[in-house]
Amino acid sequence: MGRVGVIVGSGLSRLQSSGEVDSLDTGITPYGPTSASLRRHTLAGTNIVVLARHGQKHSIAPHEINYRANVWALKTAGANIVISLATVGGIGNRYGPGVIAIPDQILDYTENRAHTFFQDHEPVTHIDFTYPFCEELRELLIHSATEANVDVVKHGTYAATQGPRLETSAEVSKLERDGADIVGMTGMPEAALARELGLCYASIALVVNHAAGRGQGVVTRSEIENVYARGTDRLLDILVAAVPKAEQLGFELPDPIRPGSG
Ligand code: HPA
């Protein structure tokens, strides 16, 4: 039986406070402190652990997040299924503000982030990352969204940018030429680290703004906040439908690759 961890992103504090039971003392991991204490919640009668990615007061910028500590702590708390909630900018026509997507691919433009547990690691180990999200969990999220009557786009290529600034319009054009549909700042290295630890990880992405140059004028805070306000209930509806079933989820991830070991 699985245990579900939820990583909660920007502007999604309503989810942080729903059904909270207590907090776990995760202490300092071998990789340093987590963004916040893990909190135990009950959601739809299911025990889950919740981590605020940007800290309890939303004070940690995307490039400053200790992704390794966060993913490590979730695993240590027993989570083997991790649902990541993220807010993103929309690039393609299908990804306007308010749309919820369950991405299936990633393009990584981040830099200088501690991005692997396999540092100075013996034997040299690679992970397969052909399909960066856990397909069994993606399907469960899509199915749960239908059950909860929430429309989602079932695919999408997520571009992870370094931030904390938003992109230029020309950068967004480049991302689009590369094949990106949505853009955010936290999907990497989080997804790869989860794979390294053998966690079944997938993301629910709420589009909160047109990516730079895709809407009218510049990206504004009020545009983003408006969409948060309208989007969080739908995210919670998906979670409530998904979490009890996620606990039962069987999944298969590719084995790590250790050249020369066999
Ligand atoms: N770009 C990058 N990250 C984001 C955006 C964006 O437009 N919106 C929300 N997170």
Side-chain angles (χ1 to χ4, degrees), residues 87-90 161 165-167 183-185 206 208-212 219 224:
T87 53
V88 295
T161 55
R165 67 167 177 84
L166 296 172
E167 299 70 38
V183 53
M185 297 175 192
L206 171 65
V208 290
N209 59 280
H210 286 289
V219 180
I224 291 178

Side-chain angles (χ1 to χ4, degrees), residues 186-205:
T186 56
M188 286 295 283
E190 196 175 86
L193 291 166
R195 178 65 56 87
E196 285 188 352
L197 292 190
L199 308 179
C200 173
Y201 172 100
S203 192
I204 311 177

Side-chain angles (χ1 to χ4, degrees), residues 29-31 67-77 117 197 199:
T29 73
Y31 303 96
Y67 294 94
R68 289 196 298 185
N70 287 352
V71 174
W72 181 272
L74 282 165
K75 167 121 182 168
T76 307
F117 291 110
L197 292 190
L199 308 179

